[in-house]
Amino acid sequence: MCGGYARLGDIYKSIEEIMDLPSNQVGLSFPQNKKMVEEELERSLVLIDLCNSMQENLAGLKMSTQELELVLKRGDDAAVQLKVESFIRLAKQAQKPFKKITSSKAVAEDCRMVRVLAEAREMSVSLLESTSHLLLKQFTTTKGSKWSLVQKRKVVFEEEQLQVLEQSMGDLENGAELLFRRLIQSRISLLNILSS
């Protein structure tokens, strides 16, 4: 997943470079393409909001994992169970924004640059949604076997697993932040083309 964020960041960087080509700037500013560009700008706002929401959720989940490590060290089973439930609730909350997202209509063939932006946006939404599903899955399974959330009324975890999970959350958060910055930059480039 982390590699996916880095690759998407590279894709958006390449798209910006392509948008900066004079021929593409002229093509994007043609009156017949302007409406499609404006629609893509609106959709990019939704994606930016999704990415920002994912960053916030990942930060919350990372903090929840750290808190879980602390209560686990203290041996407070009731507090551990509450932290587990809190983590699962946060992971489920990360999936909510994707229920509101619908696939966009096909983009007309005459504006390739807008089609490229739409495809990159769809890949970004897909990666963010996959990340949200992974969060919950990572907490309930590891290496093909179920983590025992409750075993004889006790929560069973290995501290090592939580540290790996915490590191993964940090890596995903950094990836989402990189993608967020690229999305903002891409939107600014598109707005600059429209205003020139």
Side-chain angles (χ1 to χ4, degrees):
M1 285 287 177
C2 297
Y5 282 104
R7 284 188 291 279
L8 264 174
D10 291 343
I11 287 171
Y12 274 99
K13 185 177 180 184
S14 297
I15 288 172
E16 280 179 61
E17 291 169 0
I18 294 169
M19 280 194 298
D20 286 342
L21 295 173
S23 61
N24 285 327
Q25 289 184 358
V26 170
L28 286 170
S29 59
F30 281 155
Q32 66 265 29
N33 294 336
K34 195 169 186 174
K35 184 178 183 209
M36 285 185 287
V37 172
E38 288 171 353
E39 287 173 359
E40 190 57 37
L41 278 168
E42 286 301 313
R43 290 183 187 112
S44 75
L45 275 179
V46 173
L47 179 57
I48 288 169
D49 287 344
L50 276 176
C51 196
N52 185 49
S53 176
M54 183 57 69
Q55 282 180 272
E56 291 171 0
N57 286 325
L58 286 165
L61 288 165
K62 188 169 96 175
M63 184 180 296
S64 181
T65 305
Q66 292 167 343
E67 291 169 355
L68 182 57
E69 284 181 73
L70 291 175
V71 295
L72 194 59
K73 285 179 185 176
R74 286 195 310 245
D76 185 351
D77 290 343
V80 169
Q81 185 64 39
L82 288 173
K83 289 297 173 189
V84 167
E85 291 167 6
S86 173
F87 184 97
I88 291 171
R89 209 172 22 259
L90 285 170
K92 286 180 180 178
Q93 183 181 0
Q95 295 176 349
K96 283 184 182 177
F98 296 98
K99 293 178 180 165
K100 300 173 190 171
I101 300 296
T102 56
S103 289
S104 61
K105 298 176 272 184
V107 177
E109 291 292 318
D110 58 348
C111 191
R112 288 185 189 146
M113 194 69 241
V114 173
R115 192 172 66 242
V116 168
L117 285 165
E119 289 172 4
R121 179 178 36 79
E122 290 295 325
M123 285 189 291
S124 299
V125 168
S126 178
L127 181 64
L128 289 166
E129 188 172 17
S130 295
T131 301
S132 76
H133 291 295
L134 175 73
L135 297 174
L136 190 56
K137 198 174 225 180
Q138 284 297 309
F139 207 75
T140 56
T141 62
T142 181
K143 295 182 184 173
S145 65
K146 293 250 179 215
W147 281 27
S148 181
L149 296 180
V150 180
Q151 186 177 53
K152 295 181 185 172
R153 301 206 179 263
K154 280 190 167 184
V155 179
V156 180
F157 291 103
E158 288 183 25
E159 198 173 323
E160 235 177 77
Q161 290 173 315
L162 286 174
Q163 289 170 352
V164 168
L165 183 62
E166 181 186 344
Q167 178 64 43
S168 296
M169 294 294 164
D171 292 345
L172 288 169
E173 184 182 10
N174 291 337
E177 182 183 342
L178 170 72
L179 179 59
F180 180 79
R181 286 193 312 259
R182 288 288 181 203
L183 292 170
I184 294 289
Q185 189 56 46
S186 177
R187 182 173 166 74
I188 289 169
S189 295
L190 204 51
L191 285 169
N192 287 340
I193 290 169
L194 280 182
S195 65
S196 60

